[in-house]
Amino acid sequence: MAAGKRKPSTSARRLEEIRRRIDVVDGKIVALLDERARLARKTAECKGRLRRGIYQPAREAEVLRKVRARARLFPQKSLAAIYREIIGASLALEQPFTVGILGPSATFTHAAALAHFGHSCRIVFDASIADVFLRVEKGEVNVGIVPIENSTEGVVVHTLDRLVESDLVIVGEILLPVQHHLLVSPATLRKRGKGRGGKKFLRAILSHPQALAQCRQFLEARYPGIPVEPVGSTALAASAAAQRSGVAAIASELAA
């Protein structure tokens, strides 16, 4: 008796049918995004005739509120993140959209810029908060993002000083939950695995002074006696930890 091909099971056929329907839905989503992009370009033309700025934070907040209100099965937080990317890409379609921030890359300000404007914007890194203000004043970037207050360490004095001295105004607010991470390089981890475990495998812990202050109780409880060294930013600390064995950094997940 000749053996024939086994027929696909009911579950397998059902899976293929669901996948075909997902492909159809994906096609509709892309087509609708293209339509939205065409409408975004038309809004740019209207803004130009009305002499309005390309960045309208109040309108963006309204869009996000409506999106969250319409969410049913899809998580609101994820939907908001997707729409941040859509709005950012739309801004970039209207004209090249540039954001000035305090560098280097992978700082919490960098994370805030990506979270708010998406990955389609062009980011320019400056060496100081004053340089960010100056770049916006000269029209070299569309907007600047600077830290203004930390819930545990208070206001950022340099930013407040520049706001008093400059004609620039605040047009929007980004609230960023700060989550610190303790970072070490693979070489440092190997030291720990070769019997130099516990706290002895670390020679120093680096970070921005504000991050060190925020993590003071954690460091005192978990790593007593390990020297802490302040550096210019959490991103610089992460870079040092990546290059120097025995050194740890407190920095963001983006920096990791």
Side-chain angles (χ1 to χ4, degrees):
M1 180 175 171
K5 289 184 178 179
R6 180 180 298 175
K7 291 183 178 181
S9 66
T10 302
S11 295
R13 290 195 300 271
R14 176 62 175 161
L15 176 61
E16 288 304 313
E17 174 59 23
I18 292 171
R19 285 175 172 170
R20 280 193 292 270
R21 291 169 63 183
I22 288 175
D23 289 342
V24 171
V25 171
D26 285 342
K28 292 179 179 178
I29 290 173
V30 173
L32 288 171
L33 287 173
D34 283 341
E35 177 61 20
R36 194 186 193 285
R38 282 189 285 271
L39 293 172
R41 282 178 171 171
K42 290 181 179 180
T43 64
E45 296 171 4
C46 293
K47 288 176 186 175
R49 287 193 290 269
L50 294 170
R51 295 185 178 182
R52 292 181 182 176
I54 183 174
Y55 176 50
Q56 300 288 325
R59 169 58 182 163
E60 291 185 9
E62 180 187 1
V63 170
L64 291 173
R65 280 197 300 270
K66 290 179 178 178
V67 165
R68 291 191 182 99
R70 291 166 179 160
R72 294 297 179 265
L73 181 61
F74 206 87
Q76 283 192 9
K77 185 177 180 180
S78 298
L79 195 59
I82 290 169
Y83 262 80
R84 282 290 185 194
E85 290 291 339
I86 291 173
I87 292 170
S90 298
L91 285 172
L93 280 172
E94 293 175 27
Q95 69 178 56
F97 191 79
T98 309
V99 180
I101 69 169
L102 177 65
S105 65
T107 60
F108 285 105
T109 305
H110 189 191
L114 294 177
H116 192 76
F117 291 106
H119 290 72
S120 298
C121 67
R122 186 172 75 91
I123 294 179
V124 178
F125 299 99
D126 281 306
S128 70
I129 290 174
D131 288 340
V132 175
F133 272 81
L134 182 61
R135 197 178 291 276
V136 179
E137 290 167 345
K138 293 166 66 176
E140 295 177 357
V141 295
N142 296 97
V143 297
I145 297 179
V146 289
I148 192 167
E149 186 176 9
N150 185 283
S151 60
T152 59
E153 296 302 306
V155 297
V156 180
V157 177
H158 294 305
T159 299
L160 296 184
D161 288 343
R162 288 299 293 136
L163 282 170
V164 171
E165 299 165 359
S166 174
D167 292 331
L168 299 181
V169 296
I170 297 172
V171 296
E173 180 183 47
I174 303 171
L175 299 177
L176 181 73
V178 173
Q179 293 182 318
H180 292 300
H181 298 261
L182 186 66
L183 314 180
V184 295
S185 68
T188 300
L189 283 180
R190 283 195 293 271
K191 277 187 176 182
R192 185 181 189 182
K194 291 179 179 179
R196 298 178 64 179
K199 304 169 185 61
K200 295 181 180 178
F201 74 106
L202 288 181
R203 292 183 287 105
I205 300 173
L206 280 57
S207 194
H208 186 273
Q210 204 165 54
L212 291 174
Q214 291 166 343
C215 299
R216 183 182 65 254
Q217 291 183 349
F218 170 84
L219 295 176
E220 290 175 352
R222 301 291 185 89
Y223 297 93
I226 304 297
V228 295
E229 299 178 12
V231 293
S233 71
T234 54
L236 288 175
S239 179
Q243 299 174 43
R244 295 164 55 188
S245 177
V247 171
I250 293 174
S252 67
E253 185 176 7
L254 181 62

